[in-house]
DNA sequence: TTGCAGTGGGAATGCGCTTTCCCGAATCAG
DNA sequence: CTGATTCGGGAAAGCGCATTCCCACTGCAA
């Protein structure tokens, strides 16, 4: 028993397919009450389910919104996905998912696939790369997006515009003030910690990471502190862990030196509080921070006693982590929602949408025993 | 500039649409080399993107696989989603996402929507409810699924069959041995802890929760331990937290009683080791366990000193939690992958797919100071 | 040379639905 | 009572593609 069609419903109701179509979907013209009832009843009894493909073909729109993320299992992305999903629900659309592992090439494929399905809009989450090697990939992605936009598609990008995107029509960006917030975080950290700073960053060229690093350095500078050293590593937990291991070794070396050498060569202008104040580690995202913390602990170091650790994102699942992680709260779900709404273009774009803001959230992990 | 069509490509290449179709998609018949090249080049220069909707209409199949989860931001589901996504990639399909918050009604809607889009298969993750109130909702969902299956759809369910589903064709279940594993966990816990047991469970009727509770009780019984008390609460972090709060009060009461009353009324057959051995708390999933642990800590209690805590699922993001959480590892991603594969019906269903197994993983959180 | 199978390509049909256009009937003003 | 409007409904033309026929042509054996 194949799914019943509109024509069958119409026949059963004794009307034309046109009329059946008009009553079963809110057309501009509304057939008479009695006829409408007949049709509805016929549809009900046949268990009629409209064929969205055919509808889409006829109307050339699909009720689909495409979502591109690096990895749906990453809490950062899944939080955004939730927001997008919610907005989709409001718009009575469905979301089409694509995980790309961050490869521009497969993002391009995803865009093409969305375009093929005639998705009404596309939301791209996940940070862009700007490395020279990615130039070509980014260009192709941009070209694909441009084409999609020219054909009437709407695209919203979280964070940064795709490098080299040219279309101005139907192209939206949800700005995330990574730089400003990182600077703020640095300022607050500088105010409570007298130790040195180290940044655990993602690979060079990863825009989100670079922004946060830049902002943090600026904040440090504004606070009169020297620039922090930057450790480049993978943008995930294990990257954080590796960097943490390296730092642990360094910290232990300093500590034992301090213990044995007593107080002969204290760093210039270091306030006198026994050994040097603990190092303050800023990882450019929470997951990396957690990895770094785990590494430190695995080496017998304690947080925040031996080192302060701060992250970025305020991932919900990580809130119960001990010691509670200092971080920058980002309304991830709201970001996803806004992206989807912007792309829907319902209201005048930036109009009713308040810009995204985050907030520095200091917790135990940076409470240096001062 | 509207997207170019196959007809346009054909015209540009100077062939018929039929031929163009044949070369641009692997048809049974392969046109001559030179013609094929001409067509491909024309397609390239026009930036032709096939219209998946039209293709789907013509072939009546869509290359879509529908995924239903309670909440995509929940790490349990996002891990499964990742597996599904991966399998989809293998099958060169895209995944269509629906978050339903667990309401059978909106699951039914989701199924209908998937059916409307002619999804080739549907994967349902997320535990079923069997409460009397849900009977009707479940029945409707089952009916919708049956219809979908009768029309040739394939559905795979993670964990339990949908209550009341009747179609035997195209209906697959990925079995998760919740009961057995919970029993195993209980046995191992009983072997290392002499204290009493308490279970923090989800609402009554939630199948996954009920299975794990039942299994745990059986394990306890097999180990000669009395059945544990079951606290019913919400199936999420805050439910765990609430239950944890209640337990904290209880634990503190016992502790102070033990301190003041010295050793006058020790429970029958309690081995003499100072105060009673700490309570062992089993939360039916990791997120709840984390919530409970947070609650205990907020009341000044320490884990595992004052109480042992164990969870279920082994959520990746929670692995760095301290003290490390004892739990049952479940290959979530693999589960998602299997579900998607089963539904694809590629290989002989259960044939090449090894059944899902988990493993009890004891960590710090249950290392009673014995 | 003729007859045959085999081959590469085109014409046409239909997938299920929306929508424009058209037409008969009913309504209203004059 | 007649002519001008509506108004409710149907006929039909696509939407973009796959696919089933069908036909012209080639190569081969007879």
């Amino acid at each position: 028993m194949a799914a019943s069609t509109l024509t069958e419903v119409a026949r059963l109701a004794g009307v034309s397919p046109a009329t059946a179509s008009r009553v079963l979907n809110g057309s501009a013209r509304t057939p008479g009450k009695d006829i409408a009832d007949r049709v509805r009843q016929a549809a009900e009894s046949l268990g009629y389910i409209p064929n969205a493909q055919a509808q889409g073909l006829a109307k050339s729109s699909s009720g689909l919104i495409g979502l591109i993320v690096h990895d749906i299992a990453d809490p950062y992305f899944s939080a955004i996905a939730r927001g997008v999903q919610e907005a989709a629900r409001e718009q009575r659309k469905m979301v089409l998912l694509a995980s790309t592992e961050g490869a521009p090439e497969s993002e391009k494929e995803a865009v093409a696939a969305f375009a093929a399905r005639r998705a009404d809009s596309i939301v791209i989450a996940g940070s862009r790369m700007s490395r020279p090697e990615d130039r070509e990939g980014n260009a192709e992605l941009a070209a694909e997006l441009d084409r999609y936009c020219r054909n009437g598609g709407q695209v919203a990008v979280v964070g940064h515009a795709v490098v080299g995107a040219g279309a101005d029509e139907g192209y939206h960006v949800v700005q995330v003030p990574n730089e400003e917030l990182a600077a703020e975080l640095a300022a607050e950290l500088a105010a409570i910690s007298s130790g040195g700073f180290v940044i655990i960053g993602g690979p060079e060229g990863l825009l989100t990471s670079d922004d946060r690093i830049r902002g943090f350095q600026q904040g440090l500078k504004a606070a009169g502190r020297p620039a922090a050293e930057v450790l480049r590593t993978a943008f995930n937990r294990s990257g954080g862990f590796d960097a943490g291991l390296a730092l642990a070794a360094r910290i232990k070396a300093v500590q034992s030196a301090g213990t044995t050498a007593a107080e002969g060569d204290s760093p210039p202008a270091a306030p006198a509080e026994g050994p040097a104040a603990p190092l303050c580690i800023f990882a450019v995202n929470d997951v990396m921070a957690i990895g770094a913390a785990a590494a430190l602990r695995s080496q017998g170091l304690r947080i925040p006693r031996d080192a302060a650790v701060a992250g970025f994102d305020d991932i919900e699942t990580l809130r119960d982590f001990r010691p509670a992680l200092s971080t920058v709260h980002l309304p991830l779900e709201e970001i996803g929602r806004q992206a989807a709404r912007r792309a829907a273009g319902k209201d005048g774009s930036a109009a009713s949408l308040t810009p995204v803001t985050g907030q520095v959230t200091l917790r135990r992990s940076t409470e240096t025993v001062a």
Side-chain angles (χ1 to χ4, degrees), chain A:
Chain A
M1 181 228 269
S4 49
T5 75
L6 183 60
T7 310
E8 290 172 24
V9 172
R11 193 177 323 149
L12 180 60
V15 301
S16 78
T19 304
S21 169
R22 288 195 263 254
V23 21
L24 292 181
N25 317 298
S27 158
R29 290 178 44 179
T30 317
K33 185 88 174 65
D34 48 344
I35 290 218
D37 284 345
R38 271 222 315 279
V39 171
R40 252 184 287 271
Q41 190 176 325
E44 176 70 20
S45 81
L46 247 44
Y48 170 70
I49 294 184
N51 184 326
Q53 311 224 58
Q55 288 188 157
L57 223 211
K59 295 197 289 201
S60 67
S61 96
S62 60
L64 252 29
I65 130 170
L67 171 61
I68 297 181
V69 298
H70 285 4
D71 174 7
I72 190 62
D74 181 321
Y76 173 83
F77 291 112
S78 64
I80 292 181
R82 188 177 210 270
V84 171
Q85 166 75 39
E86 226 168 81
R89 209 183 177 75
E90 287 171 8
Q91 302 173 29
R92 322 207 106 273
K93 299 193 175 177
M94 304 214 65
V95 3
L96 211 45
L97 187 64
S99 283
T100 61
E101 309 305 329
E105 188 198 355
S106 66
E107 298 197 329
K108 178 194 154 217
E109 275 175 31
V111 171
F114 289 157
R117 298 229 140 70
R118 297 300 182 263
D120 298 332
S121 55
I122 294 180
V123 173
I124 303 184
S127 47
R128 322 272 81 244
M129 282 294 230
S130 69
R131 295 175 311 176
E133 309 93 279
D134 297 316
R135 277 195 52 107
E136 193 182 350
N138 278 328
E140 285 181 15
L141 173 57
E144 198 71 49
L145 281 172
D146 274 9
R147 178 156 58 174
Y148 174 72
C149 283
R150 267 198 305 275
N151 289 344
Q154 298 287 106
V155 5
V157 184
V158 172
H160 286 87
V162 170
V163 182
D168 25 43
E169 207 64 52
Y171 203 80
H172 316 241
V173 177
V174 177
Q175 297 285 359
V176 178
N178 283 308
E179 202 165 330
E180 294 82 337
L181 289 167
E184 209 177 301
L185 174 63
E188 298 211 16
L189 252 24
I192 62 169
S193 165
S194 56
F197 287 88
V198 176
I199 299 175
I200 302 182
E204 199 147 5
L206 191 61
L207 262 32
T208 304
S209 169
D210 287 351
D211 283 356
R212 293 177 182 176
I213 292 172
R214 193 177 330 114
F216 197 84
Q217 299 282 35
Q218 285 170 0
L220 245 29
K221 190 172 179 185
R225 297 302 195 87
E229 178 187 357
V230 179
L231 264 41
R232 298 289 184 171
T233 177
F235 198 61
N236 53 31
R237 192 249 177 214
S238 89
F241 190 87
D242 293 345
L245 240 33
L247 288 175
R250 207 183 292 185
I251 292 169
K252 291 212 278 195
V254 170
Q255 282 182 343
S256 62
T259 306
T260 57
E263 47 199 303
D265 54 341
S266 62
E273 43 169 322
L279 195 63
C280 184
I281 301 170
F282 167 54
V284 293
N285 71 40
D286 277 5
V287 181
M288 292 174 79
I290 293 299
L296 293 191
R297 252 187 330 239
S298 76
Q299 298 303 304
L301 296 176
R302 305 260 310 257
I303 297 167
R305 197 195 58 188
D306 300 312
V309 174
F312 206 111
D313 287 343
D314 198 21
I315 297 299
E316 191 164 343
T317 325
L318 262 21
R319 299 238 177 105
D320 285 313
F321 185 78
R322 297 306 297 262
L325 188 65
S326 289
T327 187
V328 175
H329 175 78
L330 239 36
L332 263 11
E333 202 172 318
E334 173 65 19
I335 288 175
R337 204 160 19 206
Q338 279 209 17
R341 283 215 258 261
R342 280 217 155 75
K346 220 156 194 161
D347 21 49
S349 279
S352 67
L353 294 175
T354 54
V356 171
T357 67
Q359 59 234 35
V360 174
T361 307
L362 261 27
R363 302 204 183 101
R364 274 300 309 284
S365 72
T366 51
E367 281 180 16
T368 304
V369 277

